[in-house]
Amino acid sequence: TLERTQVRTRTRVPKQYHVIMKNDDVTPMEYVVKILLEIFHLDMERAFLTMLNIHTHDEGIVGTYTRSEAYAKVDAVEAENAEYGFDLRVDVRGVNN
C-alpha cells in the first residue's frame, strides 16, 4: 500500500503598519494634498478629506502597509520634503493584529 503524507502549510499574513501623518502650522495644505495624491495614491476627494482630518485632529492614518512598504512611504515623503523645503512629519506604527 502507498502511504499518504500530508503536508500542512501555513501562510502568514505579514504584519501591517499604519503610516501616520502629523499636522503642523507651517506645511501648506496644498502640499499635504500633493503628497497624499502622489505618494499615497488617494483620489482628490479622499486626499482633501484626509488632509482636513489631519488638520482637525493633529494626526491621521494615511495608509496601512507591510513594514517595508510603510518605511518606503516615509522615505518618499522625506525626499519630497527635501526637494520642496518642507518638514511634513510621517511616522510608522504597528497595527494590533
Side-chain angles (χ1 to χ4, degrees):
T1 62
L2 292 174
E3 253 184 65
R4 289 188 179 195
T5 305
Q6 288 186 341
V7 176
R8 291 185 181 185
T9 58
R10 192 184 321 182
T11 42
R12 289 194 173 165
V13 176
K15 188 170 181 191
Q16 297 290 292
Y17 294 82
H18 292 311
V19 177
I20 309 293
M21 188 174 285
K22 307 276 190 165
N23 183 50
D24 63 48
D25 295 329
V26 179
T27 307
M29 291 179 180
E30 295 82 6
Y31 179 74
V32 174
V33 170
K34 172 191 178 332
I35 294 298
L36 294 171
L37 290 169
E38 294 178 5
I39 295 176
F40 295 96
H41 306 292
L42 302 183
D43 61 48
M44 181 56 88
E45 181 179 5
R46 177 114 185 218
F48 184 77
L49 292 173
T50 300
M51 176 273 300
L52 287 177
N53 181 62
I54 293 164
H55 181 71
T56 304
H57 296 99
D58 291 325
E59 67 178 26
I61 297 169
V62 294
T64 304
Y65 307 93
T66 64
R67 185 178 193 276
S68 62
E69 291 170 327
Y71 282 101
K73 297 291 185 183
V74 170
D75 290 345
V77 171
E78 290 175 353
E80 289 291 305
N81 285 343
E83 182 176 340
Y84 288 92
F86 294 114
D87 192 27
L88 181 62
R89 302 310 244 166
V90 286
D91 292 324
V92 174
R93 291 188 198 150
V95 176
N96 296 331
N97 53 345

